[in-house]
Amino acid sequence: MPMTRKGIIITVGTVVIMGVALGVGIGFGVRNQHGSTGSLTANPSANPPGTRGIVGDLTYYAPGLGACGLYNTANDNIAAISHITYDKFANGPNPNTNPLCGRQIRASRNGESVVVTVVDRCEGCKANDIDLSPAAFNQLAEAAEGRVKVTWEWM
């Protein structure tokens, strides 16, 4: 049975409204993920407390899919930060949109330093501890040491 003119208008109107709603929703999500959270470096008041000279334990882990939603390998210069710090800056239920994701840290020990990118959350870390990929850890300590003291800062 053919649609009436009224039925066609209602169907077209519904499709247009749904398309606009979808476009607005996608635009809002992209803006929230990449725009409104911004860089913490660009907004110093949002920087984590104690941004320089933070002393904690340094360990290493086997990367994979991190809390920021990225896959990484043992050869990447990456870090997992303490769940305490990571969760403090959460901006909703999706951990991939945490504004600490993608931030850089300079970790230093015994006159050596390495710059790493935050891509993960460390459940076993205390507030000032960081967990690095093996490649990054090996620039500061021997793997056999396992856990050492480190000084680090947000870049």
Side-chain angles (χ1 to χ4, degrees):
M1 175 185 244
M3 287 183 76
T4 65
R5 181 180 171 124
K6 183 178 177 181
I8 291 172
I9 291 172
I10 290 173
T11 302
V12 168
T14 302
V15 169
V16 168
I17 290 171
M18 290 173 61
V20 168
L22 179 63
V24 168
I26 289 172
F28 180 74
V30 168
R31 183 179 58 93
N32 272 349
Q33 186 171 358
H34 299 291
S36 68
T37 58
S39 162
L40 290 178
T41 304
N43 182 3
S45 65
N47 274 325
T51 59
R52 295 196 177 275
I54 302 166
V55 177
D57 284 352
L58 175 68
T59 53
Y60 64 94
Y61 72 111
L65 176 60
C68 295
L70 303 172
Y71 285 95
N72 292 98
T73 71
N75 295 321
D76 297 323
N77 278 351
I78 57 166
I81 58 170
S82 167
H83 63 98
I84 298 164
T85 303
Y86 191 90
D87 294 349
K88 187 185 304 182
F89 288 88
N91 58 359
N94 183 350
N96 297 180
T97 62
N98 190 305
L100 297 179
C101 291
R103 286 289 310 272
Q104 290 190 315
I105 290 173
R106 176 181 291 118
S108 303
R109 181 172 182 269
N110 296 335
E112 300 293 329
S113 67
V114 63
V115 174
V116 294
T117 302
V118 173
V119 298
D120 208 349
R121 175 182 183 272
C122 176
E123 188 63 39
C125 291
K126 294 179 184 170
N128 292 337
D129 297 349
I130 55 175
D131 210 6
L132 302 185
S133 62
F137 184 90
N138 289 336
Q139 294 179 53
L140 301 177
E142 296 294 323
E145 293 178 87
R147 177 180 301 270
V148 296
K149 288 293 180 194
V150 67
T151 303
W152 61 274
E153 62 185 345
W154 293 100
M155 306 272 303

